[in-house]
Structure formats: C-alpha cells, structure tokens
C-alpha cells in the first residue's frame, strides 16, 4: 500500500482555478448589469401563438449643449471621483427621476 503525499503544486493550481472561476462569474454578472441583460417579453405572433422573445434594452443618447467652463468643471469633478462623464450623467438623471417620480403619479 503506497502512501500518497499531497502535492503543493496541485493544491495551488486547484486554488487558482477556483479563484479564476469565481472571478469569471463575477465578470459575467457585471457585464450583464452593464449591458442591461436580455429581458424576455411575451408576444402573440400573427398565427395567434404565444411566444417568449428576448428583447435587448434600448439606450438613448442625449445631445447636451452646455457652456465650456461648466463642462470643464464637471469633467474635473468626475475625474476627481474616478467616474466617467457618462456614468455621472446617468447618476444625475437617475437621481432626478427618483426625486420627481411623484409627477408621473399625478398624470
């Protein structure tokens, strides 16, 4: 009967593979959150059958014209916080909608 010794190299490789799998799973979750993921929608086709289809989230662009000095200040602030200008604008819009949501209830 031979006694098998644990190989430190094999343990290290197994641990690295596990860490890599966890990192890959986290990366996929982040990418899905960033892309908005695919949502499903139930539709009735022309033959009257109910079908579930994947629908990609639509994104909008907003042309914004602001004074150059204001933009420079905005850019400096977002850079100081380590954010992109786009993510800061999305955050501002999200906060605005959250604060003004009661207006939609009144309509």
């Amino acid at each position: 009967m031979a006694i098998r010794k644990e190989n430190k190299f094999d343990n290290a490789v197994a641990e690295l593979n596990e860490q890599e799998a966890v990192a890959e799973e986290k990366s996929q979750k982040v990418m899905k959150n960033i892309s908005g993921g695919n949502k499903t929608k139930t539709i009735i086709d022309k033959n009257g059958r109910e079908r579930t289809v994947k629908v990609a989230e639509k994104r909008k662009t907003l042309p914004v014209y602001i004074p150059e000095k204001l933009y420079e200040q905005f850019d400096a602030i977002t850079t100081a916080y380590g954010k992109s200008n786009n993510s800061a604008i999305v955050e501002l819009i999200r906060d605005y909608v959250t604060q003004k949501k009661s207006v939609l209830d009144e309509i």
Side-chain angles (χ1 to χ4, degrees):
M1 188 184 290
I3 298 175
R4 183 175 173 171
K5 291 184 178 180
E6 285 189 25
N7 187 340
K8 291 180 182 180
F9 179 74
D10 290 339
N11 289 340
V13 169
E15 186 177 325
L16 286 173
N17 286 339
E18 184 178 331
Q19 289 175 357
E20 190 175 280
V22 169
E24 178 67 25
E25 184 179 328
K26 285 181 181 178
S27 174
Q28 288 176 356
K29 286 180 183 178
V30 168
M31 289 305 293
K32 188 172 184 178
N33 285 340
I34 290 171
S35 69
N38 286 333
K39 298 179 182 181
T40 58
K41 181 179 179 182
T42 303
I43 61 167
I44 308 276
D45 68 7
K46 63 182 179 182
N47 297 323
R49 293 180 292 201
E50 191 173 288
R51 297 183 180 261
T52 303
V53 295
K54 289 184 179 181
V55 180
E57 181 182 11
K58 293 181 181 179
R59 301 198 176 240
K60 299 287 183 183
T61 57
L62 299 172
V64 180
Y65 300 99
I66 57 174
E68 187 174 347
K69 185 173 181 172
L70 183 63
Y71 174 79
E72 289 171 357
Q73 292 172 341
F74 175 75
D75 189 47
I77 291 169
T78 56
T79 302
Y81 276 104
K83 292 184 176 185
S84 70
N85 290 344
N86 189 60
S87 66
I89 291 169
V90 169
E91 184 179 319
L92 290 169
I93 292 172
R94 191 174 291 135
D95 290 345
Y96 181 83
V97 169
T98 302
Q99 291 173 0
K100 307 293 183 184
K101 205 166 198 163
S102 62
V103 172
L104 296 175
D105 297 335
E106 295 172 6
I107 296 176

mmCIF file with all atom_site columns, all heavy atoms in Angstrom, residues 67-89:
data_model
loop_
_atom_site.group_PDB
_atom_site.id
_atom_site.type_symbol
_atom_site.label_atom_id
_atom_site.label_alt_id
_atom_site.label_comp_id
_atom_site.label_asym_id
_atom_site.label_entity_id
_atom_site.label_seq_id
_atom_site.pdbx_PDB_ins_code
_atom_site.Cartn_x
_atom_site.Cartn_y
_atom_site.Cartn_z
_atom_site.occupancy
_atom_site.B_iso_or_equiv
_atom_site.pdbx_formal_charge
_atom_site.auth_seq_id
_atom_site.auth_comp_id
_atom_site.auth_asym_id
_atom_site.auth_atom_id
_atom_site.pdbx_PDB_model_num
ATOM 1   N N   . PRO A 1 67 ? -22.198 75.410 -21.426 1.00 0.00 ? 67 PRO A N   1
ATOM 2   C CA  . PRO A 1 67 ? -21.028 76.291 -21.551 1.00 0.00 ? 67 PRO A CA  1
ATOM 3   C C   . PRO A 1 67 ? -19.727 75.518 -21.299 1.00 0.00 ? 67 PRO A C   1
ATOM 4   O O   . PRO A 1 67 ? -19.683 74.602 -20.488 1.00 0.00 ? 67 PRO A O   1
ATOM 5   C CB  . PRO A 1 67 ? -21.257 77.340 -20.465 1.00 0.00 ? 67 PRO A CB  1
ATOM 6   C CG  . PRO A 1 67 ? -22.722 77.309 -20.190 1.00 0.00 ? 67 PRO A CG  1
ATOM 7   C CD  . PRO A 1 67 ? -23.155 75.913 -20.440 1.00 0.00 ? 67 PRO A CD  1
ATOM 8   N N   . GLU A 1 68 ? -18.688 75.898 -22.009 1.00 0.00 ? 68 GLU A N   1
ATOM 9   C CA  . GLU A 1 68 ? -17.415 75.201 -21.925 1.00 0.00 ? 68 GLU A CA  1
ATOM 10  C C   . GLU A 1 68 ? -16.847 75.203 -20.506 1.00 0.00 ? 68 GLU A C   1
ATOM 11  O O   . GLU A 1 68 ? -16.340 74.193 -20.035 1.00 0.00 ? 68 GLU A O   1
ATOM 12  C CB  . GLU A 1 68 ? -16.411 75.834 -22.886 1.00 0.00 ? 68 GLU A CB  1
ATOM 13  C CG  . GLU A 1 68 ? -15.113 75.069 -22.981 1.00 0.00 ? 68 GLU A CG  1
ATOM 14  C CD  . GLU A 1 68 ? -14.175 75.626 -24.031 1.00 0.00 ? 68 GLU A CD  1
ATOM 15  O OE1 . GLU A 1 68 ? -14.607 76.443 -24.859 1.00 0.00 ? 68 GLU A OE1 1
ATOM 16  O OE2 . GLU A 1 68 ? -13.005 75.228 -24.010 1.00 0.00 ? 68 GLU A OE2 1
ATOM 17  N N   . LYS A 1 69 ? -16.954 76.327 -19.811 1.00 0.00 ? 69 LYS A N   1
ATOM 18  C CA  . LYS A 1 69 ? -16.428 76.413 -18.450 1.00 0.00 ? 69 LYS A CA  1
ATOM 19  C C   . LYS A 1 69 ? -17.156 75.440 -17.520 1.00 0.00 ? 69 LYS A C   1
ATOM 20  O O   . LYS A 1 69 ? -16.529 74.774 -16.696 1.00 0.00 ? 69 LYS A O   1
ATOM 21  C CB  . LYS A 1 69 ? -16.550 77.844 -17.922 1.00 0.00 ? 69 LYS A CB  1
ATOM 22  C CG  . LYS A 1 69 ? -15.911 78.028 -16.574 1.00 0.00 ? 69 LYS A CG  1
ATOM 23  C CD  . LYS A 1 69 ? -15.884 79.473 -16.155 1.00 0.00 ? 69 LYS A CD  1
ATOM 24  C CE  . LYS A 1 69 ? -15.193 79.565 -14.795 1.00 0.00 ? 69 LYS A CE  1
ATOM 25  N NZ  . LYS A 1 69 ? -14.951 80.918 -14.393 1.00 0.00 ? 69 LYS A NZ  1
ATOM 26  N N   . LEU A 1 70 ? -18.468 75.334 -17.681 1.00 0.00 ? 70 LEU A N   1
ATOM 27  C CA  . LEU A 1 70 ? -19.251 74.404 -16.874 1.00 0.00 ? 70 LEU A CA  1
ATOM 28  C C   . LEU A 1 70 ? -18.840 72.966 -17.165 1.00 0.00 ? 70 LEU A C   1
ATOM 29  O O   . LEU A 1 70 ? -18.695 72.148 -16.253 1.00 0.00 ? 70 LEU A O   1
ATOM 30  C CB  . LEU A 1 70 ? -20.746 74.603 -17.138 1.00 0.00 ? 70 LEU A CB  1
ATOM 31  C CG  . LEU A 1 70 ? -21.709 73.759 -16.319 1.00 0.00 ? 70 LEU A CG  1
ATOM 32  C CD1 . LEU A 1 70 ? -21.586 74.100 -14.840 1.00 0.00 ? 70 LEU A CD1 1
ATOM 33  C CD2 . LEU A 1 70 ? -23.129 73.996 -16.791 1.00 0.00 ? 70 LEU A CD2 1
ATOM 34  N N   . TYR A 1 71 ? -18.615 72.652 -18.434 1.00 0.00 ? 71 TYR A N   1
ATOM 35  C CA  . TYR A 1 71 ? -18.175 71.309 -18.806 1.00 0.00 ? 71 TYR A CA  1
ATOM 36  C C   . TYR A 1 71 ? -16.810 70.992 -18.202 1.00 0.00 ? 71 TYR A C   1
ATOM 37  O O   . TYR A 1 71 ? -16.592 69.891 -17.701 1.00 0.00 ? 71 TYR A O   1
ATOM 38  C CB  . TYR A 1 71 ? -18.114 71.133 -20.325 1.00 0.00 ? 71 TYR A CB  1
ATOM 39  C CG  . TYR A 1 71 ? -17.530 69.789 -20.707 1.00 0.00 ? 71 TYR A CG  1
ATOM 40  C CD1 . TYR A 1 71 ? -18.309 68.648 -20.662 1.00 0.00 ? 71 TYR A CD1 1
ATOM 41  C CD2 . TYR A 1 71 ? -16.186 69.669 -21.067 1.00 0.00 ? 71 TYR A CD2 1
ATOM 42  C CE1 . TYR A 1 71 ? -17.773 67.403 -20.974 1.00 0.00 ? 71 TYR A CE1 1
ATOM 43  C CE2 . TYR A 1 71 ? -15.642 68.439 -21.376 1.00 0.00 ? 71 TYR A CE2 1
ATOM 44  C CZ  . TYR A 1 71 ? -16.443 67.309 -21.328 1.00 0.00 ? 71 TYR A CZ  1
ATOM 45  O OH  . TYR A 1 71 ? -15.902 66.088 -21.625 1.00 0.00 ? 71 TYR A OH  1
ATOM 46  N N   . GLU A 1 72 ? -15.892 71.948 -18.248 1.00 0.00 ? 72 GLU A N   1
ATOM 47  C CA  . GLU A 1 72 ? -14.554 71.733 -17.694 1.00 0.00 ? 72 GLU A CA  1
ATOM 48  C C   . GLU A 1 72 ? -14.632 71.439 -16.199 1.00 0.00 ? 72 GLU A C   1
ATOM 49  O O   . GLU A 1 72 ? -13.929 70.560 -15.691 1.00 0.00 ? 72 GLU A O   1
ATOM 50  C CB  . GLU A 1 72 ? -13.658 72.941 -17.973 1.00 0.00 ? 72 GLU A CB  1
ATOM 51  C CG  . GLU A 1 72 ? -13.269 73.072 -19.432 1.00 0.00 ? 72 GLU A CG  1
ATOM 52  C CD  . GLU A 1 72 ? -12.559 74.379 -19.751 1.00 0.00 ? 72 GLU A CD  1
ATOM 53  O OE1 . GLU A 1 72 ? -12.409 75.234 -18.853 1.00 0.00 ? 72 GLU A OE1 1
ATOM 54  O OE2 . GLU A 1 72 ? -12.166 74.557 -20.916 1.00 0.00 ? 72 GLU A OE2 1
ATOM 55  N N   . GLN A 1 73 ? -15.494 72.170 -15.488 1.00 0.00 ? 73 GLN A N   1
ATOM 56  C CA  . GLN A 1 73 ? -15.667 71.919 -14.050 1.00 0.00 ? 73 GLN A CA  1
ATOM 57  C C   . GLN A 1 73 ? -16.276 70.533 -13.818 1.00 0.00 ? 73 GLN A C   1
ATOM 58  O O   . GLN A 1 73 ? -15.831 69.796 -12.940 1.00 0.00 ? 73 GLN A O   1
ATOM 59  C CB  . GLN A 1 73 ? -16.553 73.003 -13.427 1.00 0.00 ? 73 GLN A CB  1
ATOM 60  C CG  . GLN A 1 73 ? -15.903 74.367 -13.389 1.00 0.00 ? 73 GLN A CG  1
ATOM 61  C CD  . GLN A 1 73 ? -16.874 75.456 -12.954 1.00 0.00 ? 73 GLN A CD  1
ATOM 62  O OE1 . GLN A 1 73 ? -18.079 75.295 -13.002 1.00 0.00 ? 73 GLN A OE1 1
ATOM 63  N NE2 . GLN A 1 73 ? -16.309 76.591 -12.536 1.00 0.00 ? 73 GLN A NE2 1
ATOM 64  N N   . PHE A 1 74 ? -17.290 70.193 -14.595 1.00 0.00 ? 74 PHE A N   1
ATOM 65  C CA  . PHE A 1 74 ? -17.933 68.886 -14.492 1.00 0.00 ? 74 PHE A CA  1
ATOM 66  C C   . PHE A 1 74 ? -16.920 67.777 -14.752 1.00 0.00 ? 74 PHE A C   1
ATOM 67  O O   . PHE A 1 74 ? -16.839 66.793 -14.001 1.00 0.00 ? 74 PHE A O   1
ATOM 68  C CB  . PHE A 1 74 ? -19.090 68.805 -15.494 1.00 0.00 ? 74 PHE A CB  1
ATOM 69  C CG  . PHE A 1 74 ? -19.753 67.465 -15.558 1.00 0.00 ? 74 PHE A CG  1
ATOM 70  C CD1 . PHE A 1 74 ? -20.607 67.054 -14.551 1.00 0.00 ? 74 PHE A CD1 1
ATOM 71  C CD2 . PHE A 1 74 ? -19.535 66.618 -16.635 1.00 0.00 ? 74 PHE A CD2 1
ATOM 72  C CE1 . PHE A 1 74 ? -21.230 65.809 -14.610 1.00 0.00 ? 74 PHE A CE1 1
ATOM 73  C CE2 . PHE A 1 74 ? -20.154 65.384 -16.702 1.00 0.00 ? 74 PHE A CE2 1
ATOM 74  C CZ  . PHE A 1 74 ? -20.996 64.982 -15.689 1.00 0.00 ? 74 PHE A CZ  1
ATOM 75  N N   . ASP A 1 75 ? -16.111 67.927 -15.795 1.00 0.00 ? 75 ASP A N   1
ATOM 76  C CA  . ASP A 1 75 ? -15.098 66.938 -16.147 1.00 0.00 ? 75 ASP A CA  1
ATOM 77  C C   . ASP A 1 75 ? -14.066 66.784 -15.032 1.00 0.00 ? 75 ASP A C   1
ATOM 78  O O   . ASP A 1 75 ? -13.661 65.674 -14.693 1.00 0.00 ? 75 ASP A O   1
ATOM 79  C CB  . ASP A 1 75 ? -14.425 67.329 -17.463 1.00 0.00 ? 75 ASP A CB  1
ATOM 80  C CG  . ASP A 1 75 ? -13.517 66.238 -17.990 1.00 0.00 ? 75 ASP A CG  1
ATOM 81  O OD1 . ASP A 1 75 ? -13.948 65.071 -18.015 1.00 0.00 ? 75 ASP A OD1 1
ATOM 82  O OD2 . ASP A 1 75 ? -12.379 66.561 -18.385 1.00 0.00 ? 75 ASP A OD2 1
ATOM 83  N N   . ALA A 1 76 ? -13.649 67.904 -14.438 1.00 0.00 ? 76 ALA A N   1
ATOM 84  C CA  . ALA A 1 76 ? -12.669 67.853 -13.349 1.00 0.00 ? 76 ALA A CA  1
ATOM 85  C C   . ALA A 1 76 ? -13.247 67.123 -12.130 1.00 0.00 ? 76 ALA A C   1
ATOM 86  O O   . ALA A 1 76 ? -12.552 66.327 -11.486 1.00 0.00 ? 76 ALA A O   1
ATOM 87  C CB  . ALA A 1 76 ? -12.233 69.264 -12.961 1.00 0.00 ? 76 ALA A CB  1
ATOM 88  N N   . ILE A 1 77 ? -14.510 67.377 -11.832 1.00 0.00 ? 77 ILE A N   1
ATOM 89  C CA  . ILE A 1 77 ? -15.142 66.728 -10.674 1.00 0.00 ? 77 ILE A CA  1
ATOM 90  C C   . ILE A 1 77 ? -15.276 65.222 -10.915 1.00 0.00 ? 77 ILE A C   1
ATOM 91  O O   . ILE A 1 77 ? -14.948 64.417 -10.041 1.00 0.00 ? 77 ILE A O   1
ATOM 92  C CB  . ILE A 1 77 ? -16.516 67.363 -10.383 1.00 0.00 ? 77 ILE A CB  1
ATOM 93  C CG1 . ILE A 1 77 ? -16.329 68.788 -9.871  1.00 0.00 ? 77 ILE A CG1 1
ATOM 94  C CG2 . ILE A 1 77 ? -17.295 66.537 -9.367  1.00 0.00 ? 77 ILE A CG2 1
ATOM 95  C CD1 . ILE A 1 77 ? -17.609 69.596 -9.805  1.00 0.00 ? 77 ILE A CD1 1
ATOM 96  N N   . THR A 1 78 ? -15.751 64.828 -12.104 1.00 0.00 ? 78 THR A N   1
ATOM 97  C CA  . THR A 1 78 ? -15.908 63.394 -12.374 1.00 0.00 ? 78 THR A CA  1
ATOM 98  C C   . THR A 1 78 ? -14.557 62.685 -12.382 1.00 0.00 ? 78 THR A C   1
ATOM 99  O O   . THR A 1 78 ? -14.436 61.562 -11.897 1.00 0.00 ? 78 THR A O   1
ATOM 100 C CB  . THR A 1 78 ? -16.637 63.140 -13.710 1.00 0.00 ? 78 THR A CB  1
ATOM 101 O OG1 . THR A 1 78 ? -15.943 63.797 -14.762 1.00 0.00 ? 78 THR A OG1 1
ATOM 102 C CG2 . THR A 1 78 ? -18.075 63.603 -13.647 1.00 0.00 ? 78 THR A CG2 1
ATOM 103 N N   . THR A 1 79 ? -13.538 63.354 -12.892 1.00 0.00 ? 79 THR A N   1
ATOM 104 C CA  . THR A 1 79 ? -12.191 62.769 -12.882 1.00 0.00 ? 79 THR A CA  1
ATOM 105 C C   . THR A 1 79 ? -11.698 62.595 -11.452 1.00 0.00 ? 79 THR A C   1
ATOM 106 O O   . THR A 1 79 ? -11.103 61.569 -11.111 1.00 0.00 ? 79 THR A O   1
ATOM 107 C CB  . THR A 1 79 ? -11.209 63.650 -13.682 1.00 0.00 ? 79 THR A CB  1
ATOM 108 O OG1 . THR A 1 79 ? -11.708 63.778 -15.017 1.00 0.00 ? 79 THR A OG1 1
ATOM 109 C CG2 . THR A 1 79 ? -9.827  63.042 -13.714 1.00 0.00 ? 79 THR A CG2 1
ATOM 110 N N   . ALA A 1 80 ? -11.962 63.587 -10.596 1.00 0.00 ? 80 ALA A N   1
ATOM 111 C CA  . ALA A 1 80 ? -11.541 63.500 -9.193  1.00 0.00 ? 80 ALA A CA  1
ATOM 112 C C   . ALA A 1 80 ? -12.222 62.340 -8.480  1.00 0.00 ? 80 ALA A C   1
ATOM 113 O O   . ALA A 1 80 ? -11.628 61.710 -7.609  1.00 0.00 ? 80 ALA A O   1
ATOM 114 C CB  . ALA A 1 80 ? -11.843 64.813 -8.476  1.00 0.00 ? 80 ALA A CB  1
ATOM 115 N N   . TYR A 1 81 ? -13.471 62.058 -8.849  1.00 0.00 ? 81 TYR A N   1
ATOM 116 C CA  . TYR A 1 81 ? -14.196 60.940 -8.239  1.00 0.00 ? 81 TYR A CA  1
ATOM 117 C C   . TYR A 1 81 ? -13.901 59.607 -8.927  1.00 0.00 ? 81 TYR A C   1
ATOM 118 O O   . TYR A 1 81 ? -14.379 58.562 -8.505  1.00 0.00 ? 81 TYR A O   1
ATOM 119 C CB  . TYR A 1 81 ? -15.707 61.190 -8.271  1.00 0.00 ? 81 TYR A CB  1
ATOM 120 C CG  . TYR A 1 81 ? -16.185 62.044 -7.123  1.00 0.00 ? 81 TYR A CG  1
ATOM 121 C CD1 . TYR A 1 81 ? -16.514 63.373 -7.323  1.00 0.00 ? 81 TYR A CD1 1
ATOM 122 C CD2 . TYR A 1 81 ? -16.299 61.520 -5.844  1.00 0.00 ? 81 TYR A CD2 1
ATOM 123 C CE1 . TYR A 1 81 ? -16.952 64.161 -6.276  1.00 0.00 ? 81 TYR A CE1 1
ATOM 124 C CE2 . TYR A 1 81 ? -16.734 62.297 -4.790  1.00 0.00 ? 81 TYR A CE2 1
ATOM 125 C CZ  . TYR A 1 81 ? -17.068 63.620 -5.008  1.00 0.00 ? 81 TYR A CZ  1
ATOM 126 O OH  . TYR A 1 81 ? -17.497 64.386 -3.969  1.00 0.00 ? 81 TYR A OH  1
ATOM 127 N N   . GLY A 1 82 ? -13.151 59.644 -10.024 1.00 0.00 ? 82 GLY A N   1
ATOM 128 C CA  . GLY A 1 82 ? -12.800 58.419 -10.733 1.00 0.00 ? 82 GLY A CA  1
ATOM 129 C C   . GLY A 1 82 ? -13.954 57.850 -11.532 1.00 0.00 ? 82 GLY A C   1
ATOM 130 O O   . GLY A 1 82 ? -14.024 56.645 -11.751 1.00 0.00 ? 82 GLY A O   1
ATOM 131 N N   . LYS A 1 83 ? -14.861 58.711 -11.969 1.00 0.00 ? 83 LYS A N   1
ATOM 132 C CA  . LYS A 1 83 ? -16.010 58.269 -12.759 1.00 0.00 ? 83 LYS A CA  1
ATOM 133 C C   . LYS A 1 83 ? -15.868 58.785 -14.185 1.00 0.00 ? 83 LYS A C   1
ATOM 134 O O   . LYS A 1 83 ? -15.174 59.757 -14.433 1.00 0.00 ? 83 LYS A O   1
ATOM 135 C CB  . LYS A 1 83 ? -17.314 58.839 -12.190 1.00 0.00 ? 83 LYS A CB  1
ATOM 136 C CG  . LYS A 1 83 ? -17.704 58.292 -10.860 1.00 0.00 ? 83 LYS A CG  1
ATOM 137 C CD  . LYS A 1 83 ? -19.052 58.854 -10.455 1.00 0.00 ? 83 LYS A CD  1
ATOM 138 C CE  . LYS A 1 83 ? -19.507 58.232 -9.164  1.00 0.00 ? 83 LYS A CE  1
ATOM 139 N NZ  . LYS A 1 83 ? -20.839 58.659 -8.797  1.00 0.00 ? 83 LYS A NZ  1
ATOM 140 N N   . SER A 1 84 ? -16.583 58.133 -15.066 1.00 0.00 ? 84 SER A N   1
ATOM 141 C CA  . SER A 1 84 ? -16.649 58.665 -16.426 1.00 0.00 ? 84 SER A CA  1
ATOM 142 C C   . SER A 1 84 ? -17.748 59.715 -16.459 1.00 0.00 ? 84 SER A C   1
ATOM 143 O O   . SER A 1 84 ? -18.645 59.724 -15.615 1.00 0.00 ? 84 SER A O   1
ATOM 144 C CB  . SER A 1 84 ? -16.962 57.549 -17.428 1.00 0.00 ? 84 SER A CB  1
ATOM 145 O OG  . SER A 1 84 ? -18.290 57.097 -17.269 1.00 0.00 ? 84 SER A OG  1
ATOM 146 N N   . ASN A 1 85 ? -17.676 60.604 -17.422 1.00 0.00 ? 85 ASN A N   1
ATOM 147 C CA  . ASN A 1 85 ? -18.707 61.630 -17.562 1.00 0.00 ? 85 ASN A CA  1
ATOM 148 C C   . ASN A 1 85 ? -20.073 60.981 -17.802 1.00 0.00 ? 85 ASN A C   1
ATOM 149 O O   . ASN A 1 85 ? -21.083 61.423 -17.269 1.00 0.00 ? 85 ASN A O   1
ATOM 150 C CB  . ASN A 1 85 ? -18.368 62.587 -18.702 1.00 0.00 ? 85 ASN A CB  1
ATOM 151 C CG  . ASN A 1 85 ? -17.189 63.469 -18.359 1.00 0.00 ? 85 ASN A CG  1
ATOM 152 O OD1 . ASN A 1 85 ? -16.802 63.589 -17.204 1.00 0.00 ? 85 ASN A OD1 1
ATOM 153 N ND2 . ASN A 1 85 ? -16.613 64.090 -19.367 1.00 0.00 ? 85 ASN A ND2 1
ATOM 154 N N   . ASN A 1 86 ? -20.092 59.923 -18.598 1.00 0.00 ? 86 ASN A N   1
ATOM 155 C CA  . ASN A 1 86 ? -21.345 59.239 -18.903 1.00 0.00 ? 86 ASN A CA  1
ATOM 156 C C   . ASN A 1 86 ? -21.981 58.661 -17.640 1.00 0.00 ? 86 ASN A C   1
ATOM 157 O O   . ASN A 1 86 ? -23.185 58.819 -17.420 1.00 0.00 ? 86 ASN A O   1
ATOM 158 C CB  . ASN A 1 86 ? -21.110 58.136 -19.926 1.00 0.00 ? 86 ASN A CB  1
ATOM 159 C CG  . ASN A 1 86 ? -22.400 57.549 -20.425 1.00 0.00 ? 86 ASN A CG  1
ATOM 160 O OD1 . ASN A 1 86 ? -23.213 58.254 -20.995 1.00 0.00 ? 86 ASN A OD1 1
ATOM 161 N ND2 . ASN A 1 86 ? -22.594 56.267 -20.188 1.00 0.00 ? 86 ASN A ND2 1
ATOM 162 N N   . SER A 1 87 ? -21.196 57.990 -16.803 1.00 0.00 ? 87 SER A N   1
ATOM 163 C CA  . SER A 1 87 ? -21.772 57.396 -15.596 1.00 0.00 ? 87 SER A CA  1
ATOM 164 C C   . SER A 1 87 ? -22.271 58.469 -14.637 1.00 0.00 ? 87 SER A C   1
ATOM 165 O O   . SER A 1 87 ? -23.289 58.288 -13.964 1.00 0.00 ? 87 SER A O   1
ATOM 166 C CB  . SER A 1 87 ? -20.766 56.476 -14.896 1.00 0.00 ? 87 SER A CB  1
ATOM 167 O OG  . SER A 1 87 ? -19.679 57.213 -14.385 1.00 0.00 ? 87 SER A OG  1
ATOM 168 N N   . ALA A 1 88 ? -21.590 59.615 -14.584 1.00 0.00 ? 88 ALA A N   1
ATOM 169 C CA  . ALA A 1 88 ? -22.041 60.715 -13.727 1.00 0.00 ? 88 ALA A CA  1
ATOM 170 C C   . ALA A 1 88 ? -23.363 61.283 -14.237 1.00 0.00 ? 88 ALA A C   1
ATOM 171 O O   . ALA A 1 88 ? -24.269 61.581 -13.448 1.00 0.00 ? 88 ALA A O   1
ATOM 172 C CB  . ALA A 1 88 ? -20.978 61.811 -13.661 1.00 0.00 ? 88 ALA A CB  1
ATOM 173 N N   . ILE A 1 89 ? -23.501 61.408 -15.549 1.00 0.00 ? 89 ILE A N   1
ATOM 174 C CA  . ILE A 1 89 ? -24.743 61.928 -16.126 1.00 0.00 ? 89 ILE A CA  1
ATOM 175 C C   . ILE A 1 89 ? -25.893 60.945 -15.876 1.00 0.00 ? 89 ILE A C   1
ATOM 176 O O   . ILE A 1 89 ? -26.996 61.352 -15.510 1.00 0.00 ? 89 ILE A O   1
ATOM 177 C CB  . ILE A 1 89 ? -24.567 62.220 -17.635 1.00 0.00 ? 89 ILE A CB  1
ATOM 178 C CG1 . ILE A 1 89 ? -23.628 63.418 -17.802 1.00 0.00 ? 89 ILE A CG1 1
ATOM 179 C CG2 . ILE A 1 89 ? -25.907 62.482 -18.304 1.00 0.00 ? 89 ILE A CG2 1
ATOM 180 C CD1 . ILE A 1 89 ? -23.170 63.658 -19.216 1.00 0.00 ? 89 ILE A CD1 1
#
